[in-house]
Amino acid sequence: MNSNTQPTPTLLRWFEYMDSDDPDRVLTMISADFRMSVQFSKGHGEAAEFVGDRDGLVAYLQQREKSTLIHHLDRGASVDGTEMVLGRTTRDGAFEASFNASAQLDESGRVRRLLIARTPELAFDR
Protein backbone atom coordinates (compact mmCIF):
# COMPACT_ATOMS: atom_id res chain seq x y z
CA MET A 1 0.00 0.00 0.00
CA ASN A 2 1.13 3.55 -0.57
CA SER A 3 1.23 6.51 1.78
CA ASN A 4 -2.29 7.63 0.73
CA THR A 5 -3.80 4.40 2.02
CA GLN A 6 -5.23 4.00 5.50
CA PRO A 7 -3.81 1.03 7.38
CA THR A 8 -5.63 -2.27 7.06
CA PRO A 9 -3.39 -4.50 9.19
CA THR A 10 -5.78 -7.45 9.40
CA LEU A 11 -6.38 -7.74 5.66
CA LEU A 12 -2.69 -7.14 4.99
CA ARG A 13 -1.82 -10.10 7.23
CA TRP A 14 -4.70 -12.18 5.77
CA PHE A 15 -3.34 -11.85 2.23
CA GLU A 16 0.25 -12.36 3.37
CA TYR A 17 -0.88 -15.68 4.84
CA MET A 18 -2.87 -16.52 1.70
CA ASP A 19 0.23 -15.95 -0.47
CA SER A 20 2.44 -18.14 1.70
CA ASP A 21 3.18 -21.85 1.72
CA ASP A 22 0.85 -22.12 4.73
CA PRO A 23 -2.38 -20.22 3.91
CA ASP A 24 -4.26 -22.23 6.53
CA ARG A 25 -2.89 -19.76 9.10
CA VAL A 26 -5.89 -17.54 8.24
CA LEU A 27 -7.94 -19.99 10.29
CA THR A 28 -6.24 -18.53 13.39
CA MET A 29 -7.59 -15.09 12.45
CA ILE A 30 -11.33 -15.82 12.45
CA SER A 31 -13.95 -15.44 15.17
CA ALA A 32 -16.23 -18.20 16.47
CA ASP A 33 -19.18 -16.71 14.51
CA PHE A 34 -17.21 -16.22 11.25
CA ARG A 35 -19.15 -16.08 7.97
CA MET A 36 -17.79 -15.45 4.49
CA SER A 37 -18.61 -15.10 0.83
CA VAL A 38 -15.98 -15.17 -1.89
CA GLN A 39 -17.28 -14.32 -5.36
CA PHE A 40 -14.63 -15.76 -7.70
CA SER A 41 -14.82 -14.94 -11.41
CA LYS A 42 -12.61 -16.74 -13.90
CA GLY A 43 -13.77 -14.34 -16.61
CA HIS A 44 -16.08 -14.78 -19.59
CA GLY A 45 -19.10 -15.04 -17.26
CA GLU A 46 -17.70 -18.05 -15.39
CA ALA A 47 -17.90 -17.57 -11.64
CA ALA A 48 -18.22 -19.49 -8.41
CA GLU A 49 -19.25 -18.45 -4.93
CA PHE A 50 -17.63 -19.92 -1.84
CA VAL A 51 -19.77 -19.33 1.25
CA GLY A 52 -20.02 -20.47 4.80
CA ASP A 53 -18.46 -20.48 8.19
CA ARG A 54 -15.12 -21.96 9.25
CA ASP A 55 -15.86 -25.16 7.29
CA GLY A 56 -16.59 -23.09 4.19
CA LEU A 57 -13.23 -21.35 4.57
CA VAL A 58 -11.50 -24.71 4.96
CA ALA A 59 -13.17 -25.94 1.74
CA TYR A 60 -12.08 -22.75 -0.06
CA LEU A 61 -8.50 -23.16 1.14
CA GLN A 62 -8.40 -26.81 0.03
CA GLN A 63 -9.33 -26.03 -3.58
CA ARG A 64 -7.06 -23.02 -4.22
CA GLU A 65 -3.56 -22.96 -5.63
CA LYS A 66 -0.85 -22.41 -3.02
CA SER A 67 2.05 -20.01 -3.44
CA THR A 68 1.04 -19.16 -7.02
CA LEU A 69 -0.72 -15.80 -6.87
CA ILE A 70 0.50 -12.67 -5.16
CA HIS A 71 -2.06 -10.25 -3.70
CA HIS A 72 -1.23 -6.54 -3.93
CA LEU A 73 -3.28 -4.20 -1.75
CA ASP A 74 -3.41 -0.93 -3.71
CA ARG A 75 -5.94 1.08 -1.69
CA GLY A 76 -7.54 0.56 1.66
CA ALA A 77 -9.45 2.10 4.51
CA SER A 78 -10.41 1.21 8.06
CA VAL A 79 -13.68 2.51 9.47
CA ASP A 80 -15.20 1.53 12.83
CA GLY A 81 -13.88 -2.03 12.94
CA THR A 82 -14.24 -2.69 9.23
CA GLU A 83 -11.31 -2.91 6.82
CA MET A 84 -11.76 -2.54 3.06
CA VAL A 85 -9.20 -2.93 0.28
CA LEU A 86 -8.97 -2.70 -3.49
CA GLY A 87 -6.22 -4.83 -4.90
CA ARG A 88 -4.97 -7.04 -7.67
CA THR A 89 -3.43 -10.44 -8.00
CA THR A 90 -0.45 -11.24 -10.15
CA ARG A 91 0.93 -14.53 -11.45
CA ASP A 92 4.64 -14.51 -12.28
CA GLY A 93 4.48 -10.70 -12.16
CA ALA A 94 1.63 -10.40 -14.70
CA PHE A 95 -1.85 -9.07 -13.88
CA GLU A 96 -4.36 -11.81 -13.20
CA ALA A 97 -7.37 -10.16 -11.52
CA SER A 98 -8.70 -7.23 -9.51
CA PHE A 99 -10.39 -7.77 -6.17
CA ASN A 100 -12.22 -6.00 -3.37
CA ALA A 101 -12.19 -7.35 0.16
CA SER A 102 -14.11 -6.21 3.23
CA ALA A 103 -13.60 -7.61 6.70
CA GLN A 104 -15.65 -6.84 9.79
CA LEU A 105 -13.61 -7.40 12.94
CA ASP A 106 -14.87 -8.40 16.36
CA GLU A 107 -13.80 -6.62 19.56
CA SER A 108 -10.66 -8.77 19.80
CA GLY A 109 -9.60 -8.04 16.20
CA ARG A 110 -10.62 -11.38 14.70
CA VAL A 111 -12.35 -11.52 11.31
CA ARG A 112 -16.09 -11.93 11.88
CA ARG A 113 -17.39 -11.30 8.36
CA LEU A 114 -15.46 -11.50 5.09
CA LEU A 115 -16.64 -10.52 1.62
CA ILE A 116 -14.32 -10.84 -1.37
CA ALA A 117 -15.13 -10.25 -5.03
CA ARG A 118 -12.61 -10.99 -7.76
CA THR A 119 -12.55 -10.63 -11.56
CA PRO A 120 -9.94 -10.78 -14.32
CA GLU A 121 -12.24 -8.68 -16.53
CA LEU A 122 -11.38 -5.31 -14.98
CA ALA A 123 -8.06 -3.70 -14.07
CA PHE A 124 -7.75 -0.54 -12.03
CA ASP A 125 -4.81 1.09 -13.78
CA ARG A 126 -2.40 2.98 -11.61
Side-chain angles (χ1 to χ4, degrees), residues 1 7 9 12 26-28 40 48 63 74 77 82 89 115-116 126:
M1 286 199 231
L12 183 61
V26 297
L27 295 170
T28 67
F40 190 94
Q63 62 81 43
D74 296 323
T82 300
T89 56
L115 174 62
I116 299 175
R126 296 167 151 253

Side-chain angles (χ1 to χ4, degrees), residues 32-79:
D33 65 342
F34 174 79
R35 298 285 301 162
M36 66 159 216
S37 173
V38 177
Q39 306 286 323
F40 190 94
S41 170
K42 296 179 182 179
H44 309 293
E46 295 180 32
E49 181 180 18
F50 300 90
V51 296
D53 55 11
R54 184 182 195 285
D55 290 340
L57 179 56
V58 168
Y60 174 72
L61 290 167
Q62 289 174 343
Q63 62 81 43
R64 68 183 295 276
E65 299 173 281
K66 289 185 183 178
S67 301
T68 306
L69 297 176
I70 303 296
H71 292 83
H72 306 271
L73 307 186
D74 296 323
R75 299 283 186 269
S78 296
V79 179

